[in-house]
């Protein structure tokens, strides 16, 4: 079954101050769409075509099939990223906040550490909040298309720090893009994913 580009779960004009409709037109409509197209082309008429996305990511990574892995992982990462955004913003739910306080000391300290990880990730990649098998929360800097799927960690929140995610609106000011992210986090999505 072919992989498909998901619709954005929000109006592209509703995240003004973080990303403009023009950014979403390119980021979702061009970049993400291209990963989906290239992925479908790469697995067409192959045994990989029957695997779901997480299985496909793990199998292609294990086999060193970078053409499939890069596109499958970027499809997953971007789909997850869209779900991490909401025009409503808000605050972490009670269970997530309890774990953030336990593992980082406070929400403010967590955001400081996350911001630093996103700012200092050299080149292109993703910053993630994940939960490991023991239930501990972690912040991960992952390069290029790498994803928590290959690390057997539960993703809870991510921020895309590839330049195409912010250059139209922020040019080279990645820290400003990161700071504005916190106004549009879909915390309920993260809460639902907790183990």
């Amino acid at each position: 079954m072919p992989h498909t580009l998901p619709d954005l779960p929000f109006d592209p004009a509703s995240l003004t101050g973080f990303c403009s409709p023009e950014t979403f037109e390119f980021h979702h409509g061009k970049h993400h769409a291209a990963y989906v197209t290239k992925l479908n082309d790469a697995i067409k008429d192959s045994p990989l075509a029957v695997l779901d996305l997480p299985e496909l990511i793990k199998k292609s990574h294990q086999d060193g099939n970078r053409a499939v892995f890069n596109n499958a992982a970027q499809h997953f990462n971007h789909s997850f990223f869209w779900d991490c955004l909401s025009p409503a913003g808000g605050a972490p739910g009670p269970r997530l906040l309890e774990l953030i306080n336990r593992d980082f000391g406070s929400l403010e300290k967590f955001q400081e550490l996350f911001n630093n990880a996103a700012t200092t990730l050299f080149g292109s990649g993703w910053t993630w909040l994940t939960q490991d098998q023991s239930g501990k929360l972690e912040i991960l800097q992952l390069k290029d298309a790498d994803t928590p799927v290959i690390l057997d960690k539960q993703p809870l929140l991510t921020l895309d720090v590839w330049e195409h995610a912010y250059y139209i609106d922020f040019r080279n000011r990645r820290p400003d893009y990161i700071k504005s992210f916190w106004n549009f986090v879909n915390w309920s999505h993260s809460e639902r994913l907790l183990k």
Side-chain angles (χ1 to χ4, degrees):
M1 180 172 165
H3 297 273
T4 58
L5 179 69
D7 292 332
L8 290 172
F10 48 79
D11 182 330
S14 66
L15 271 66
T16 303
F18 175 60
C19 287
S20 64
E22 184 183 9
T23 288
F24 286 118
E25 179 185 348
F26 281 92
H27 195 180
H28 175 263
K30 305 287 188 212
H31 286 279
H32 189 177
Y35 294 127
V36 174
T37 298
K38 290 175 185 175
L39 174 60
N40 286 325
D41 288 345
I43 64 174
K44 187 178 179 182
D45 300 324
S46 84
L48 297 174
V50 301
L51 300 179
D52 68 21
L53 191 56
E55 291 173 327
L56 182 57
I57 290 168
K58 290 175 184 176
K59 174 70 172 158
S60 59
H61 183 262
Q62 179 184 359
D63 294 347
N65 186 341
R66 294 302 295 187
V68 170
F69 171 78
N70 286 337
N71 289 295
Q74 284 290 72
H75 176 31
F76 175 88
N77 291 350
H78 281 86
S79 298
F80 193 93
F81 179 47
W82 309 138
D83 287 336
C84 290
L85 300 173
S86 169
R95 187 159 170 249
L96 180 58
L97 185 58
E98 179 185 349
L99 295 178
I100 286 173
N101 288 335
R102 182 195 71 187
D103 294 333
F104 301 107
S106 68
L107 177 60
E108 293 73 21
K109 185 62 177 176
F110 158 68
Q111 290 176 314
E112 177 188 328
L113 293 169
F114 190 99
N115 289 355
N116 184 62
T119 301
T120 60
L121 194 151
F122 183 75
S124 299
W126 300 81
T127 302
W128 295 86
L129 173 64
T130 65
Q131 189 175 34
D132 70 15
Q133 294 302 312
S134 73
K136 185 176 186 298
L137 302 185
E138 299 176 278
I139 296 170
L140 302 178
Q141 285 182 319
L142 297 181
K143 292 282 291 173
D144 300 327
D146 283 350
T147 175
V149 173
I150 60 173
L151 302 172
D152 202 26
K153 295 180 188 291
Q154 173 63 52
L156 301 175
L157 181 69
T158 194
L159 178 61
D160 185 344
V161 290
W162 283 64
E163 201 170 59
H164 67 240
Y166 58 86
Y167 197 80
I168 289 172
D169 299 313
F170 293 92
R171 296 301 186 256
N172 64 335
R173 301 188 323 273
R174 187 192 284 187
D176 292 343
Y177 161 74
I178 295 164
K179 181 180 178 183
S180 68
F181 170 62
W182 299 110
N183 296 319
F184 300 99
V185 170
N186 183 1
W187 290 108
S188 61
H189 177 251
S190 303
E191 183 92 7
R192 286 193 301 272
L193 293 170
L194 286 169
K195 296 175 184 177

